[in-house]
Structure formats: structure tokens, C-alpha cells
């Protein structure tokens, strides 16, 4: 079984990837999406989203714990997407992932993300252009939802992505309209898996070991991706793989301090108060202690005040 750490824009940045892969159990990380509009993105910009690409020949584009990292691209122009895909592979990314699931209004208005699920031919053109622009052994993966308004094109979209030469497909088992509303329709992942031959990774609402078991059984997928669950329970991948039990709160507290140390280093400390509060909002769904801590720091505005409290 592979457990992939999901892309989460504004949440799962390289520091969080570093921290969670050190806790362990993850086989691959996907970066937050990098928006491709109409030009080749600079090395500097790619390094900002994915610092793991720096000195890739020495460090192998992995997190400090050695987990491979794959860059995700979001865009709608096949030529521009393929130029940027070729570049991230050249920079050392472990494959390239394409975002066909983003529900953001602004992104969809610019014809990127989930809106592309309305047109399988468009998906085909993008994936096929990317496939042709990267070496044969480079992994091209895509991440979809079940559709935009409804699920009528779910199978056709998956087949278009496979026919265009993708090596694997992650399915977040909801439509764009369903947003994040439970339940995730894992049985639809099984339908998709049945209709294509490339590996399928199941995603959506896996928050504990029992969810992972149910999802794997219903979706018939061995491999899963977890996002919000990894923030609620930092050792979720180990718990799912039965290599550890639920991390006790005192260990989570140590992680919060490690995170604080990294986030407040250099010029990033202005983001820290929001980031730590955001993480505690996820943690409090698993740990009552996190809720109490969140209440204590909720009104604190500076990194120093929060660090003192921690
Ligand atoms: C705050 C947030 C940011 C996200 N950013 C991305 C993204 O950049 N790219 C992407 O493909 N999916 C993104 N997603 C979707 C997740 O990768 C995942 O598909 C979704 O959260 C369902 O999985 P989960 O139930 O394990 O969280 C995001 C989700 C959230 C909640």
C-alpha cells in the first residue's frame, strides 16, 4: 500500500511536508498547485513552491526524511502546461501532477482546475501534450474530482486521461459542486478503476484507520491519498499502515514547537500566527487539548506571543 500526502494550497507547504514526512509513513508528496498561465515559470518561482528541487542532483528532490516530492501544475493551455512540465522534470521533480480538481471560482473562471472536467477532449489535449514533452520514464499523473456539476463524465474523463498517456490517476471522490460535503463517494472510484488500466489512488475523507480500510475495500484501490486527515493526526500514515498507534498529545506538542521553530525563522514569521491557528483548527478535530490551546492563542497576534504561550 502507498500513502500519498495530498496537495493542499496554503496549508501543506514544504515545512509541513518536512515535518509530516519526518513523522513518517508517507511514500510521496504532491506540492501545492503551481498556476501556469501563459509563460514559462522561473526556476526561482518553482523553488519557492518546492524548495526540495534545489540541488536536486545532491538531495534527489526529496524531503529531509527522504520522501519524494512531485510538483503539481494547474492550467488549461496544453502548450504552456507541457513546457512547464518539461521544466519541472528537468529540475528533478519526481514526475508531474496535473490539477483537474480545484473548485476555486477564480481558477475555474480562468478555465483551470475542475471546470476542465466538463470537457474530456480538453483533458486529453493537456495530458497528451505533457506526455510528449517529458522523457518516457517520467511519471505523469493527474488528479480529478468525479465531475463538475454531476458525475456523468467521470468514466470518460478518466479514460481520456489514460488514453493521453498518464501513468496514474488520483480521484477525489466528489464533484466540484459537492465541495467537501460528506460523504466521499468511494464506490465511484471503483467504477473508474474498473474502466481503466493505470493505477488509481483513492482520495477523500480518510481520517483514521477504519476510514482507510473502508475506502480501500469500497474503492478497490490499494493506494490512497490523505490531506486534511494528515493535519488532524500527524502520524496518520503510520496508523493506516498499522506501524504505530495514534500519536499522543505530548508528541504533537513537540511537533508544534518544531513547526514554530521553522516557521518563525527568517522572514516568514508574519505568516506564522495564521498558520499555527489553521493547523490547530485541524488538530482540534482529533485532540481536545488542541481545542483548549486554540482558545488560548486565538486572539494573540504576534509570533512571539504565541511562541511564549506554546
Ligand atoms: C485547504 C485545501 C487546499 C487544497 N489545495 C489543493 C491543491 O493545491 N491541489 C489539489 O489537487 N488539491 C487540493 N486540495 C484537495 C485535497 O488535495 C484533497 O483532494 C481533498 O482535501 C480531499 O482529501 P481529504 O479528505 O484527505 O482532505 C485542497 C484541499 C484543501 C482543504
Amino acid at each position: 500500500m502507498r500513502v500519498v500526502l495530498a496537495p493542499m494550497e496554503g496549508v501543506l507547504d514544504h515545512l509541513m511536508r518536512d515535518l509530516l514526512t519526518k513523522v513518517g509513513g508517507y511514500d510521496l508528496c504532491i506540492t501545492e498547485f503551481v498556476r501556469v498561465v501563459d509563460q514559462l515559470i522561473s526556476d526561482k518561482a518553482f523553488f519557492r513552491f518546492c524548495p526540495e528541487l534545489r540541488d536536486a542532483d545532491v538531495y534527489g528532490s526529496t524531503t529531509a526524511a527522504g520522501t519524494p516530492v512531485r510538483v503539481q501544475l494547474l492550467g488549461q493551455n496544453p502548450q504552456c502546461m507541457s513546457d512547464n512540465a518539461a521544466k519541472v522534470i528537468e529540475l528533478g521533480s519526481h514526475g508531474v501532477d496535473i490539477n483537474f480538481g480545484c473548485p476555486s471560482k477564480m481558477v475555474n473562471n480562468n478555465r483551470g482546475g475542475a471546470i476542465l472536467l466538463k470537457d474530456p477532449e480538453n483533458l486529453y489535449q493537456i495530458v497528451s501534450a505533457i506526455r510528449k514533452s517529458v522523457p518516457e520514464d517520467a511519471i505523469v499523473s493527474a488528479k480529478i474530482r468525479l465531475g463538475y456539476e454531476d458525475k456523468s463524465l467521470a468514466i470518460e474523463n478518466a479514460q481520456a486521461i489514460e488514453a493521453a498517456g498518464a501513468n496514474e490517476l488520483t480521484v477525489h471522490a466528489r464533484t466540484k459542486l459537492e465541495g467537501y460535503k460528506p460523504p466521499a463517494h468511494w464506490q465511484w472510484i471503483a467504477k473508474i478503476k474498473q474502466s481503466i488500466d493505470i493505477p488509481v489512488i483513492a482520495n477523500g475523507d480518510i481520517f483514521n484507520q477504519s476510514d482507510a480500510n473502508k475506502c480501500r475495500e469500497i474503492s478497490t484501490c490499494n493506494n490512497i491519498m490523505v490531506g486534511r486527515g494528515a493535519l488532524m493526526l500527524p502520524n496518520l500514515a503510520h496508523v493506516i499502515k498499522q506501524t504505530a498507534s495514534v500519536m499522543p498529545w505530548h508528541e504533537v506538542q513537540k511537533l508544534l514547537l518544531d513547526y514554530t521553530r521553522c516557521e518563525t525563522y527568517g522572514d516568514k514569521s508574519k505568516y506564522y500566527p495564521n498558520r499555527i491557528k489553521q493547523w490547530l483548527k485541524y488538530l482540534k478535530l482529533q485532540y481536545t487539548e488542541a481545542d483548549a490551546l486554540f482558545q488560548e492563542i486565538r486572539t494573540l497576534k504576534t509570533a512571539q506571543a504565541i511562541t511564549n504561550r506554546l
Side-chain angles (χ1 to χ4, degrees):
M1 181 199 341
R2 280 194 302 155
V3 181
V4 181
L5 188 57
M8 285 180 72
E9 194 233 346
V11 185
L12 260 166
D13 62 357
H14 72 102
L15 294 176
M16 202 49 114
R17 284 197 290 275
D18 195 35
L19 204 76
L20 293 178
T21 57
K22 270 184 194 146
V23 173
Y26 292 100
D27 299 282
L28 174 72
C29 304
I30 310 289
T31 68
E32 303 162 84
F33 69 75
V34 181
R35 181 90 176 91
V36 173
V37 184
D38 56 6
Q39 47 188 295
L40 196 58
I41 293 166
S42 67
D43 291 12
K44 198 173 153 203
F46 277 125
F47 291 156
R48 205 173 54 239
F49 283 98
C50 186
E52 294 93 337
L53 293 177
R54 278 180 206 277
D55 302 317
D57 45 344
V58 182
Y59 300 111
S61 304
T62 62
T63 63
T67 311
V69 181
R70 181 176 302 163
V71 174
Q72 184 183 69
L73 300 180
L74 181 152
Q76 81 288 17
N77 176 327
Q79 180 64 50
C80 203
M81 286 287 278
S82 61
D83 291 346
N84 280 288
K87 178 158 182 173
V88 297
I89 296 295
E90 226 173 87
L91 288 175
S93 173
H94 288 264
V96 56
D97 190 63
I98 316 162
N99 180 320
F100 293 132
C102 181
S104 142
K105 212 182 234 172
M106 197 175 77
V107 166
N108 287 183
N109 284 346
N110 288 314
R111 296 209 52 76
I115 194 111
L116 294 163
L117 298 171
K118 287 181 166 195
D119 184 358
E121 173 59 24
N122 209 343
L123 299 187
Y124 178 88
Q125 294 300 339
I126 295 169
V127 177
S128 159
I130 290 178
R131 176 75 272 166
K132 287 180 193 140
S133 73
V134 300
E136 239 172 69
D137 61 353
I139 304 256
V140 175
S141 58
K143 182 161 175 282
I144 60 171
R145 282 177 175 252
L146 296 175
Y148 192 80
E149 279 129 3
D150 60 47
K151 304 174 183 67
S152 59
L153 291 174
I155 306 283
E156 221 178 302
N157 282 332
Q159 287 173 337
I161 288 168
E162 178 183 45
N167 303 95
E168 54 188 32
L169 178 68
T170 302
V171 182
H172 175 192
R174 292 185 180 92
T175 63
K176 185 264 173 193
L177 261 196
E178 286 164 347
Y180 289 91
K181 209 170 73 193
H185 306 282
W186 295 327
Q187 70 280 16
W188 268 90
I189 308 182
K191 289 190 201 181
I192 289 175
K193 188 165 179 284
Q194 242 175 26
S195 68
I196 58 177
D197 288 325
I198 56 174
V200 175
I201 298 163
N203 170 239
D205 288 5
I206 301 172
F207 302 123
N208 52 48
Q209 203 213 342
S210 152
D211 292 338
N213 289 346
K214 259 189 250 158
C215 173
R216 291 176 73 220
E217 188 189 326
I218 295 172
S219 71
T220 71
C221 291
N222 261 336
N223 302 322
I224 55 178
M225 172 184 277
V226 294
R228 291 166 299 166
L231 296 160
M232 294 176 199
L233 176 56
N235 72 337
L236 179 60
H238 273 314
V239 170
I240 289 171
K241 289 179 173 176
Q242 294 184 301
T243 41
S245 46
V246 169
M247 180 179 265
W249 172 246
H250 68 88
E251 282 183 30
V252 180
Q253 277 179 303
K254 276 192 213 138
L255 286 183
L256 286 165
L257 286 169
D258 287 347
Y259 182 71
T260 299
R261 220 165 279 133
C262 297
E263 272 278 347
T264 52
Y265 178 77
D267 60 356
K268 294 199 72 183
S269 61
K270 63 174 181 279
Y271 304 116
Y272 168 76
N274 284 341
R275 288 282 171 123
I276 195 90
K277 287 175 197 172
Q278 186 180 45
W279 191 17
L280 281 169
K281 278 189 203 162
Y282 285 107
L283 284 171
K284 69 187 192 168
L285 299 169
Q286 171 74 30
Y287 298 94
T288 48
E289 296 93 332
D291 193 12
L293 184 54
F294 177 75
Q295 297 308 332
E296 281 184 52
I297 67 158
R298 201 167 48 90
T299 54
L300 302 180
K301 297 221 163 33
T302 66
Q304 192 55 56
I306 296 174
T307 310
N308 291 345
R309 190 65 215 104
L310 281 178

